[in-house]
């Protein structure tokens, strides 16, 4: 033994290996180390961080995604600390090293990596890494830009896979039921729908300057609806309902785009290749587990979708009827019946929707009301209750005086539809109802109403019900021409509408955009869209006109070129795309180009062409009328995806051109979208600006019997009317109105200091009236197209609007401008009564000690504009609104004394003083 030890020691000391042999030994050891794969969870994270070669990494992915391993099935997708360490190593080390290689030619391994990261831990690790890299980029380190792009690609691949939600739910099955399972479910829902994922991706996209669906809230909500629908369809095959789908759906409703969520959910649930019984099971597996207030919200969006996708033409005109809609109406009624089933809360919601408790004029049409009434008519007790309540509300004195006229028209339609069904069920009940106190007193109050349209609605309803319930010799006959007109006959025909509720063969057809090309339908809708034709340019002019025009040639600014080729962005000719993009010549082509998602040049050409094309199409044909509603919604919600040049200006011009084409129809659409749509504050301001500037354009638009204008307005009027900002224009109007009173009655306010800007305005000539050569087209539309829809939508959303001082101020500025641009409209009495009540309530909500200076000045300017508009009818105005005038005077006086109100307050004091002097014996206490 000693000898052996001596020999071994001697060899070690005496002999040293050669250098070449050493290198070979080291390489063999490194190869052995690389090929030895980890077999325990604790070794996996360390192995991934040691930067293995490609083959070793691919082998690890096979281990992590395999089923028969020592790690156990689904190890990497489990919510354990060891799995979290492995996922973190994949995100921090493996993705930067291998993602580019996997994208180029290893689809199987790419799928394995995505499977490893499809978990709550994987999403959390990617989001945390993205946030850290974005913060690093903002600190000036731009080398991380490629890493941010790679993580966004990985996240898009994970989220946009069809079976993404299915994998997440299968991860939950790895955890037994209990508190830990419930916590994991909540974490899964919070990761997807808390807003962190969406905001992080959006912030990262701004860094890489490339858009994707996961950073767009609208597309992301639609994707969530699609995923929930797909999983619900899978569960329907096994008749198993997952309550977690309902929780996820509820959380997604709060992301801000509920209409897209509900739309995609219903579209893919009822578009699946399943039996209709299984489709309804999938729908109710999610819908029935929602809280009741969310169920009613979903039902409201379903009503809106049914209206938009099945009856698009009638969004623009609800005073026509076509029997071509009988089948979609019956199918819609049947579909709503399946949705509500035996849920009393949903039936009550439908009844309140018809009666006006939750009715919004911009989202409802006659055909949707027909569908809901037809559904309620299947239950005689509910029908009788609806008929009684609708007639009682229709004849209520307070309702007649204060409710918006669109809501009163809708309720009149409900009264007549329910009366027709009641007549066919039991005529005796209709006779009893027609002789009830509610009906008789309601008709009497209607006939005494100040609003002409409210009176005529009473005549129409009374005549139609009398024709059903009374004998020939006892029927009502008012002997008026309007009662026998086309509109009256349309209302009276509603009692004969009988839509049947049966079976829907294919519910998916209700959620596809329907096309109605029937000429009768288009003819019934067209008259309300047609606008005044602009005169054609004449080739001959008088000598005086030519001379006057030539003398002012030097003052005209040349028009810019309509289209200019942008400079090349690259010196490489292979990268330059000079393919000419066609200019849209039809409204349908314009819509398609504005919704372009791949070609930026096509989108920009459509945006530049839109104002001119809309103005040209408004003068002839029916093309604009068919697509006006879709075009309005597209322009209002349009977003600048490619940073187009002058995007805001061009979009604004297109919205103004569309509104001017038919203000009576599109004005309510704009007002409805203003408060009911999913719009940002900037988009709401743009809608208000379009309404105000559209009213300005209408006020100076020439009629068809006038020559083409060759000169602009005088300089002082041009500055007044063509201010680019609504707030600036309103200030100029107030100053222009108040200045003469300040100069002539300075003794009434010795402590008031006139601002320098107003002194400058005092040197201008005070505007007395619009020139006679420029007829005002706005006066015909100011009530129905502008003031009434704005007031209606504001009253329904008053709390939300007043919570935003900027939006509230812009709203008041818009009302001020619209009223100022339409002097002495035919409906001035009714318009003044509505605005007086509105401004009086706002005075109570805007005390001097609470409201901001901008809000107070905007409200004072609106009141001053209303007083100025009624200077020609002082006695009638004081008879109707003398209490409001007293209150306004006290409010303005208090603001002037406390130095918290601008010049408009002094203008209110002066105008109320003049009204007292010119009131012909009317005395107002306190004025």
């Amino acid at each position: 033994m000693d000898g052996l030890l001596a020999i071994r020691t001697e060899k070690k000391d005496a002999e040293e290996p050669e250098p070449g042999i050493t290198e070979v030994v080291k390489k063999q050891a490194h190869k052995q180390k690389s090929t030895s794969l980890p077999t325990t969870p604790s070794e996996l994270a360390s192995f991934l961080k040691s930067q293995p070669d490609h083959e070793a990494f691919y082998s690890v992915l096979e281990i992590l995604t395999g089923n028969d391993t020592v790690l156990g099935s689904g190890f990497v997708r489990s919510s354990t600390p060891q799995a979290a360490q492995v996922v973190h190593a994949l995100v921090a080390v493996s993705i930067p090293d291998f993602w580019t290689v996997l994208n180029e030619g290893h689809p199987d391994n790419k799928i394995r990596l995505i499977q490893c990261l499809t978990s709550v831990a994987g999403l959390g690790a990617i989001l945390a890494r993205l946030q850290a890299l974005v913060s690093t980029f903002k600190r000036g380190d731009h080398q991380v830009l490629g890493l941010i792009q790679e993580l966004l690609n990985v996240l898009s691949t994970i989220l946009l896979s069809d079976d993404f939600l299915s994998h997440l739910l299968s991860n939950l099955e790895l955890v037994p039921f209990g508190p830990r399972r419930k916590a994991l479910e909540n974490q899964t829902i919070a990761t997807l729908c808390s807003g962190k994922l969406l905001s992080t991706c959006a912030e990262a996209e701004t860094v890489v300057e490339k858009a994707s669906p996961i950073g767009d809230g609208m597309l992301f909500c639609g994707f969530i609806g699609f995923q929930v629908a797909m999983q619900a369809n899978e569960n329907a095959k096994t008749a198993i309902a997952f309550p977690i789908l309902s929780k996820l759906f509820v959380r997604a409703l709060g992301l801000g785009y509920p209409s897209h969520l509900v739309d995609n959910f219903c579209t893919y649930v009822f578009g699946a290749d399943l039996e209709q019984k299984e489709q309804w099971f999938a729908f109710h597996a999610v819908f029935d587990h929602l809280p009741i207030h969310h169920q009613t919200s979903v039902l409201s969006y379903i009503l809106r979708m049914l209206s938009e996708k099945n009856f698009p033409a009638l969004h623009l005109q609800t005073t026509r009827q076509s029997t071509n809609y009988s089948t979609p109406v019956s199918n819609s009624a049947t579909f709503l019946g399946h949705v509500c089933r035996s849920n009393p809360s949903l039936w009550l919601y439908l009844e309140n929707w018809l009666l006006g408790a939750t009715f919004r004029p911009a989202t409802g049409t006659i055909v949707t009301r027909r569908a809901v009434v037809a559904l309620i008519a299947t239950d005689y007790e509910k029908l009788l209750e609806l008929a009684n309540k609708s007639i009682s509300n229709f004849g209520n004195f307070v309702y007649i005086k204060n409710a918006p006229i669109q809501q009163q028209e809708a309720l009149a339609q409900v009264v007549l539809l329910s009366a027709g069904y009641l007549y066919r069920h039991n005529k005796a009940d209709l006779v009893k109802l027609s002789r009830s106190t509610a009906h008789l007193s309601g008709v009497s109050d209607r006939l005494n109403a100040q609003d002409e349209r409210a009176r005529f609605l009473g005549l129409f309803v009374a005549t139609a019900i009398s024709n059903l319930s009374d004998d020939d010799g006892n029927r009502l006959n008012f002997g008026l021409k309007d009662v026998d007109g086309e509109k009256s006959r349309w209302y009276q025909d509603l009692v004969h509408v009988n839509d049947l509720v049966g079976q829907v063969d294919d519910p998916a057809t209700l959620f596809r955009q329907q096309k109605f090309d029937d000429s009768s339908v288009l003819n019934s809708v067209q008259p309300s869209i047609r606008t005044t034709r602009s005169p054609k340019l004449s080739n001959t002019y008088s000598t005086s006109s030519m001379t006057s025009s030539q003398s002012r040639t030097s003052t005209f600014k040349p028009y810019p070129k309509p289209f200019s080729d942008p400079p090349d962005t690259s010196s490489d000719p292979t990268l330059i795309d000079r393919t000419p993009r066609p200019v849209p010549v039809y409204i349908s082509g314009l819509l398609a180009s504005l919704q372009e998602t791949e070609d930026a040049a096509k989108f920009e050409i459509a945006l530049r062409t839109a104002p001119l094309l809309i103005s040209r199409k408004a003068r002839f044909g029916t093309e604009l009328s068919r697509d006006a509603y879709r075009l309005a919604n597209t322009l209002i919600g349009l977003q600048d995806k490619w940073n187009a040049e002058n995007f805001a200006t061009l979009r604004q011009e297109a919205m103004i051109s569309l509104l001017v084409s038919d203000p009576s129809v599109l004005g309510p659409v704009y007002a409805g979208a203003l408060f009911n749509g999913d719009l940002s504050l900037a988009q709401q301001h743009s809608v208000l600006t379009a309404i105000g500037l559209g009213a300005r354009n209408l006020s100076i638009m020439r009629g068809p019997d006038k020559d083409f204008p060759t000169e602009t307005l005088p300089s002082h009027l041009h500055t007044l009317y063509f201010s680019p900002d609504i707030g600036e224009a309103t200030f100029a109007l107030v100053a222009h109105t108040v200045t003469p009173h300040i100069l002539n009655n300075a003794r009434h306010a010795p402590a008031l200091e006139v601002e320098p800007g107003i002194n400058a305005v005092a040197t201008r000539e005070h505007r007395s009236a619009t020139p006679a050569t420029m007829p005002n087209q706005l006066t015909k539309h100011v009530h129905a197209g502008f003031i009434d829809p704005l007031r209606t939508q504001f009253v329904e959303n008053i709390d939300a609007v007043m919570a935003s001082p900027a939006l509230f101020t812009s709203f008041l500025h818009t009302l001020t401008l619209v009223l100022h641009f339409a002097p002495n409209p035919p409906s001035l009495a009714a318009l003044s009564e509505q605005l007086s009540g509105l401004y009086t309530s706002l005075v109570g909500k805007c005390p001097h000690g609470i409201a901001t200076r901008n809000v107070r000045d905007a409200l004072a300017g609106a009141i001053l504009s209303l007083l100025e508009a009624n200077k020609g009818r002082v006695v009638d105005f004081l008879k109707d609104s003398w209490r409001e005038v007293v209150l306004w005077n006290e409010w303005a006086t208090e603001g002037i004394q406390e130095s918290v109100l601008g010049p408009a307050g002094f203008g209110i004091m002066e105008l109320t003083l003049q009204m007292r002097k010119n009131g012909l014996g009317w005395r107002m206490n306190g004025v």
Side-chain angles (χ1 to χ4, degrees):
M1 178 65 68
D2 294 339
L4 291 176
L5 289 175
I7 293 172
R8 184 177 182 181
T9 302
E10 182 179 335
K11 288 183 178 180
K12 182 176 181 181
D13 294 336
E15 298 181 5
E16 294 182 2
E18 299 179 2
I21 299 175
T22 303
E23 293 178 1
V24 172
V25 172
K26 289 182 178 180
K27 290 182 180 180
Q28 292 177 352
H30 183 271
K31 183 177 181 181
Q32 183 178 1
K33 177 181 177 181
S34 300
T35 55
S36 60
L37 299 177
T39 57
T40 62
S42 59
E43 299 175 356
L44 280 172
S46 301
F47 182 81
L48 291 173
K49 292 178 182 179
S50 64
Q51 297 182 345
D53 58 14
H54 294 74
E55 296 300 330
F57 176 69
Y58 298 156
S59 300
V60 170
L61 290 181
E62 292 180 1
I63 292 174
L64 291 175
T65 56
N67 295 325
D68 299 328
T69 66
V70 294
L71 299 176
S73 177
F75 160 74
V76 74
R77 294 182 288 112
S78 62
S79 57
T80 59
Q82 295 84 356
Q85 292 178 3
V86 172
V87 169
H88 181 269
L90 289 173
V91 173
V93 180
S94 301
I95 289 179
D97 291 343
F98 297 102
W99 180 251
T100 304
V101 178
L102 293 178
N103 266 335
E104 292 177 353
H106 297 79
D108 295 337
N109 292 315
K110 179 181 176 180
I111 293 174
R112 293 189 181 99
L113 177 60
I114 294 302
Q115 290 176 354
C116 293
L117 298 177
T118 306
S119 63
V120 175
L123 294 177
I126 294 175
L127 293 179
R129 182 65 174 164
L130 265 180
Q131 289 177 332
L133 292 176
V134 170
S135 300
T136 303
F137 180 87
K138 291 182 177 179
R139 289 195 297 267
D141 186 3
H142 292 180
Q143 296 180 356
V144 300
L145 188 62
L147 297 178
I148 296 175
Q149 181 66 58
E150 287 180 349
L151 286 178
L152 281 177
N153 291 337
V154 173
L155 195 57
S156 299
T157 307
I158 294 173
L159 293 177
L160 298 182
S161 61
D162 292 344
D163 53 355
F164 163 69
L165 186 59
S166 176
H167 284 309
L168 283 187
L169 296 182
S170 64
N171 295 343
L172 297 177
E173 298 178 359
L174 301 175
V175 181
F177 286 98
R180 185 162 169 260
R181 170 73 170 268
K182 186 175 181 180
L184 185 58
E185 289 182 357
N186 295 335
Q187 186 180 2
T188 302
I189 296 173
T191 301
L192 290 178
C193 301
S194 65
K196 178 182 178 181
L197 188 151
L198 191 60
S199 61
T200 302
C201 293
E203 187 178 11
E205 287 176 1
T206 59
V207 171
V208 300
E209 298 181 353
K210 184 178 180 181
S212 67
I214 61 175
D216 189 314
M218 186 182 303
L219 297 178
F220 184 77
C221 284
F223 165 74
I224 292 295
F226 162 75
Q227 288 288 342
V228 173
M230 292 297 99
Q231 190 60 36
N233 290 335
E234 290 297 324
N235 297 341
K237 297 177 181 179
T238 57
I240 299 176
F242 280 2
I244 189 176
L245 294 178
S246 301
K247 297 178 182 179
L248 180 63
F249 195 87
V250 168
R251 194 68 178 268
L253 286 173
L255 288 177
Y257 302 91
S259 58
H260 294 81
L261 175 69
V262 177
D263 189 358
N264 279 269
F265 172 70
C266 293
T267 300
Y268 288 104
V269 163
F270 295 105
D273 188 15
L274 299 174
E275 295 182 2
Q276 195 171 137
K277 180 180 179 181
E278 294 177 340
Q279 292 176 352
W280 281 112
F281 178 87
F283 176 83
H284 284 288
V286 177
F287 183 76
D288 290 350
H289 289 84
L290 301 178
I292 187 60
H293 60 282
H294 286 298
Q295 289 184 2
T296 56
S297 298
V298 172
L299 181 58
S300 68
Y301 290 115
I302 290 176
L303 286 170
R304 180 184 299 181
M305 285 188 299
L306 291 176
S307 179
E308 291 176 352
K309 295 191 176 184
N310 292 276
F311 323 109
L314 295 185
H315 270 282
L316 300 178
Q317 175 66 303
T318 60
T319 57
R320 306 286 177 189
Q321 180 185 11
S322 174
T323 55
N324 294 334
Y325 290 98
S326 59
T327 300
V329 169
S330 299
N331 290 341
S332 299
T334 305
F335 181 86
L336 292 173
H338 285 295
V339 172
C340 297
R341 295 200 295 190
S342 58
N343 191 328
S345 299
L346 298 181
W347 286 93
L348 180 61
Y349 174 84
L350 290 179
E351 182 180 320
N352 292 333
W353 186 83
L354 288 173
L355 295 176
T358 58
F359 175 70
R360 298 185 184 276
T363 59
T365 61
I366 175 60
V367 285
T368 51
R369 288 186 283 276
R370 279 174 51 184
V372 177
V373 172
L375 175 62
I376 292 180
T378 57
D379 189 326
Y380 183 71
E381 296 297 330
K382 291 185 176 64
L383 174 63
L384 186 59
E385 181 181 2
L386 174 64
N388 281 282
K389 288 184 177 180
S390 60
I391 286 181
S392 177
N393 290 355
F394 184 73
N396 186 279
F397 175 75
V398 178
Y399 179 85
I400 296 172
K401 184 177 180 180
N402 298 301
I405 193 62
Q406 292 93 340
Q407 190 169 347
Q408 296 190 39
E409 291 176 349
L411 186 58
Q413 297 164 9
V414 174
V415 170
L416 295 177
L417 289 171
S418 59
Y421 284 102
L422 189 62
Y423 171 78
R424 287 184 287 274
H425 276 278
N426 190 347
K427 182 179 178 181
D429 285 337
L430 179 62
V431 173
K432 181 179 178 181
L433 191 61
S434 66
R435 297 173 183 175
S436 63
T437 304
H439 178 64
L440 296 178
S441 62
V443 172
S444 177
D445 291 337
R446 284 275 172 185
L447 298 180
N448 293 328
Q450 295 182 357
D451 193 330
E452 182 180 7
R453 289 181 292 179
R455 291 199 300 271
F456 279 116
L457 286 177
L459 293 176
F460 299 158
V461 172
T463 303
I465 292 181
S466 177
N467 291 339
L468 289 180
S469 59
D470 298 332
D471 297 332
D472 293 341
N474 298 327
R475 293 176 179 173
L476 289 176
N477 184 8
F478 293 97
L480 298 177
K481 179 181 179 181
D482 292 326
V483 178
D484 298 327
E486 179 184 0
K487 190 171 184 178
S488 174
R489 289 194 297 271
W490 181 86
Y491 270 95
Q492 294 180 34
D493 288 342
L494 288 178
V495 298
H496 304 298
V497 172
N498 187 16
D499 297 308
L500 302 178
V501 180
Q503 181 69 24
V504 184
D505 296 331
D506 185 9
T509 58
L510 297 175
F511 294 95
R512 303 188 189 116
Q513 189 72 37
Q514 302 296 320
K515 296 182 179 180
F516 298 92
D517 297 328
D518 190 270
S519 59
S520 62
V521 178
L522 298 180
N523 292 334
S524 67
V525 176
Q526 173 59 24
S528 67
I529 301 298
R530 191 168 297 154
T531 185
T532 304
R533 290 179 178 267
S534 299
K536 296 182 179 180
L537 289 175
S538 177
N539 293 327
T540 59
Y541 297 93
S542 62
T543 304
S544 60
S545 176
M546 291 287 290
T547 304
S548 175
S549 176
Q550 292 173 358
S551 64
R552 292 171 174 81
T553 303
S554 60
T555 63
F556 288 137
K557 295 181 179 180
Y559 286 102
K561 294 181 179 180
F563 302 104
S564 59
D565 294 330
D568 295 333
T569 58
S570 175
S571 58
D572 186 358
T574 61
L575 301 178
I576 299 175
D577 183 13
R578 291 198 179 99
T579 304
R581 270 69 174 181
V583 178
V585 294
Y586 300 104
I587 297 298
S588 58
L590 176 64
L591 277 169
S593 299
L594 290 176
Q595 297 169 356
E596 179 65 35
T597 59
E598 298 180 357
D599 193 346
K602 186 176 181 181
F603 173 82
E604 293 179 1
I605 290 177
L607 191 63
R608 292 196 298 265
T609 310
L612 183 61
L613 180 62
I614 293 172
S615 300
R616 187 170 69 248
K617 292 295 183 180
R619 301 170 188 168
F620 59 90
T622 63
E623 185 181 356
L624 181 61
S625 64
R626 293 198 300 266
D627 294 322
Y629 180 80
R630 290 176 55 202
L631 184 58
N633 283 338
T634 300
L635 290 174
I636 290 173
L638 193 63
Q639 297 181 358
D640 189 6
K641 299 183 287 290
W642 287 288
N643 295 324
E645 184 179 2
N646 297 328
F647 171 82
T649 302
L650 294 172
R651 172 174 167 268
Q652 194 77 65
E653 292 175 358
M655 292 172 62
I656 294 172
S657 299
L658 182 61
L659 177 62
V660 171
S661 67
D662 197 346
S664 294
V665 172
L666 291 169
V669 175
Y670 277 42
L674 177 64
F675 299 116
N676 298 331
D678 299 323
L679 303 182
S680 64
L681 182 61
Q683 289 174 323
Q684 290 176 317
H685 279 295
S686 68
V687 174
L688 287 172
T689 303
I691 294 175
L693 299 184
R696 180 200 67 184
N697 291 357
L698 281 172
S699 67
I700 59 176
M701 183 179 291
R702 289 179 175 268
D705 56 342
K706 300 294 181 181
D707 295 332
F708 188 82
T710 59
E711 298 180 10
T712 61
L713 294 174
S715 59
H716 65 287
L717 292 179
H718 181 84
T719 304
L720 186 66
Y721 281 95
F722 285 85
S723 175
D725 182 75
I726 286 185
E728 295 176 5
T730 308
F731 178 80
L733 292 178
V734 172
H736 218 45
T737 303
V738 175
T739 298
H741 301 300
I742 295 177
L743 297 179
N744 298 330
N745 302 281
R747 63 182 182 275
H748 293 291
L752 180 64
E753 296 182 1
V754 182
E755 298 180 7
I758 300 178
N759 287 329
V761 179
T763 61
R764 303 176 184 174
E765 179 183 356
H766 180 55
R767 182 176 63 86
S768 58
T770 304
T773 58
M774 302 181 67
N776 196 328
Q777 302 294 321
L778 178 61
T779 56
K780 298 184 296 184
H781 310 286
V782 64
H783 192 188
F786 292 88
I787 300 294
D788 198 20
L790 284 173
R791 172 187 169 275
T792 300
Q793 296 297 326
F794 174 79
V795 171
E796 294 182 1
N797 302 272
I798 185 170
D799 293 332
V801 178
M802 294 189 68
S804 174
L807 179 60
F808 186 29
T809 303
S810 297
F811 171 77
L812 293 174
H813 286 163
T814 303
L815 287 181
T816 303
L817 291 178
V818 171
L819 185 61
H820 181 83
F821 290 144
N824 301 320
S827 58
L828 181 58
L831 189 148
S832 300
E833 181 182 1
Q834 293 179 356
L835 291 182
S836 297
L838 175 62
Y839 292 161
T840 301
S841 64
L842 292 180
V843 165
K845 292 177 178 290
C846 300
H848 294 299
I850 299 178
T852 63
R853 177 66 179 266
N854 291 338
V855 171
R856 291 194 301 268
D857 289 344
L859 180 56
I863 295 174
L864 180 61
S865 177
L866 180 59
L867 293 173
E868 187 77 11
N870 285 276
K871 289 177 63 176
R873 49 181 300 274
V874 175
V875 175
D876 294 334
F877 181 71
L878 292 180
K879 286 181 180 180
D880 298 332
S881 306
W882 68 269
R883 291 184 179 87
E884 288 82 353
V885 173
V886 171
L887 178 62
W888 298 342
N889 179 74
E890 294 175 353
W891 181 74
T893 303
E894 180 184 357
I896 293 295
Q897 291 175 352
E898 297 178 3
S899 299
V900 295
L901 198 59
F906 187 76
I908 294 174
M909 296 171 57
E910 290 298 323
L911 283 181
T912 52
L913 179 62
Q914 288 185 11
M915 285 187 171
R916 187 191 67 178
K917 293 179 179 179
N918 301 331
L920 300 179
W922 272 85
R923 294 183 178 180
M924 302 181 296
N925 297 326
V927 180

